[in-house]
Every structure is written in C-alpha cells, then in structure tokens.
C-alpha cells in the first residue's frame, strides 16, 4: 500500500510541471499572436544563441522565424529574451522636447534677464518669457526629434517585460 501511495505521489509530482509548462506555452502563444507576426525580431535563447528573423504565424509551443534563406524554430521554453525592431520616433520626440525646452527656456531666461532695465529685476516677465520659450522650443524639438527618430530603427525588448 505504501508503495502504491509513493508511486502515485511520484506520478503527480512529475505530471505537475508538464501541465504548468503547457499552460505557460499556451499563454506565450496567445501573447505573441498580438505582438509578433510579420515583425522583425531578435531572440536570445536559453542555450546562448541569438536568432534573428521575421515572425511566422505562431504555433502552439514554438516560434518560427523566417530569415534570408532559412527558417528557424525556437521553442517558447528556449526564449530567454525577445526584442522587436521598430522606429525610434517616441524616443527621438522625447529627447528633442527635453533639449528644446532646456536650451530654449534657458536662453530666453538669460536674454530676458539681461535686457531687463527695471530696478526690481523683472522676475515675473522673465519667468513668463522663459516658460513660453521652453514650451514653444520644446514642441519644435519634439517634432524635429520625432522626425529624426522615425528615420532610425531601434530594438525594444518586449520579453521579459
């Protein structure tokens, strides 16, 4: 009787990870269906290889990548990290806005304070001019940075998040 109970426990212990792994694979397949097909990706595998290509339609337990003249298959369990290639518009816009606001606002503050002829220092006028210049040049910087970023391609890690 003890042997039968131990055998049942062993069978359950061995079956539990397989069921959990199947659930993880199913979740990964559903998630990748919305992110991957047709996009250029780069995968770092758990065995230390880097695989790059375009995602083919997602299968239940593996990811197929089509490359130059070959097709590679990576099981979901072998994916260490997944990167998607995309345009850098968002990063460029953010950097451009920050640089434009800092440079434009700073220059306007210095110029406004330097041209002030009042004895009280023109603090209110200087702040208004500086904030207006920062907003205007920040917007211009965001537009220019977004345009430059749109011309560049960057890798963004999407797994693990």
């Amino acid at each position: 009787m003890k042997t039968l109970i131990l055998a049942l426990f062993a069978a359950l212990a061995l079956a539990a990870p397989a069921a959990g792994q199947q659930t993880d694979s199913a979740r990964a397949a559903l998630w990748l269906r919305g992110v991957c097909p047709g996009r250029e990706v780069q995968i770092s595998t758990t065995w230390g290889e880097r695989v790059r290509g375009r995602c083919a339609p997602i299968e239940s337990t593996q990811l197929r990548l089509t490359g130059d003249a070959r097709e590679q298959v990576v099981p979901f369990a072998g994916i260490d990290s997944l990167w998607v290639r995309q345009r850098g518009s968002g990063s460029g816009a953010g950097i451009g806005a920050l640089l434009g606001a800092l440079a434009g606002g700073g220059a306007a503050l210095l110029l406004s304070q330097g041209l002030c002829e009042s004895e009280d220092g023109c603090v209110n006028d200087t702040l208004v001019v500086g904030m207006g210049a920062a907003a205007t040049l920040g917007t211009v910087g965001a537009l220019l940075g977004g345009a430059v970023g749109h011309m560049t391609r960057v890798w963004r890690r999407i797994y693990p998040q």
Side-chain angles (χ1 to χ4, degrees):
M1 186 67 169
K2 288 181 186 178
T3 308
L4 181 61
I5 291 173
L6 286 174
L8 284 173
F9 260 137
L12 287 174
L14 291 174
Q21 188 176 15
Q22 187 177 27
T23 304
D24 289 344
S25 292
R27 262 191 239 132
L30 284 174
W31 182 74
L32 284 170
R33 272 194 186 98
V35 172
C36 195
R39 295 176 85 180
E40 187 178 355
V41 298
Q42 178 174 297
I43 296 172
S44 294
T45 63
T46 55
W47 54 88
E49 185 181 351
R50 286 217 171 156
V51 181
R52 188 184 283 185
R54 291 208 175 273
C55 285
I58 304 300
E59 297 175 8
S60 60
T61 60
Q62 60 192 10
L63 182 60
R64 284 187 309 124
L65 299 177
T66 56
D68 298 327
R70 63 180 198 190
E71 183 173 284
Q72 295 179 305
V73 177
V74 180
F76 291 147
I79 297 175
D80 184 51
S81 64
L82 179 75
W83 301 73
V84 175
R85 189 136 189 186
Q86 63 184 30
R87 297 193 184 277
S89 303
S91 300
I95 292 168
L98 182 64
L99 291 176
L102 289 175
L109 283 172
L110 290 174
L111 185 61
S112 178
Q113 191 63 35
L115 294 175
C116 179
E117 295 178 358
S118 175
E119 291 180 19
D120 65 358
C122 306
V123 174
N124 290 337
D125 295 338
T126 301
L127 289 176
V128 169
V129 168
M131 288 173 54
T136 303
L137 293 175
T139 303
V140 170
L143 292 172
L144 291 175
V148 170
H150 187 72
M151 293 184 279
T152 62
R153 307 279 283 172
V154 296
W155 288 102
R156 181 176 65 101
R157 186 176 72 183
I158 60 171
Y159 175 81
Q161 293 179 344

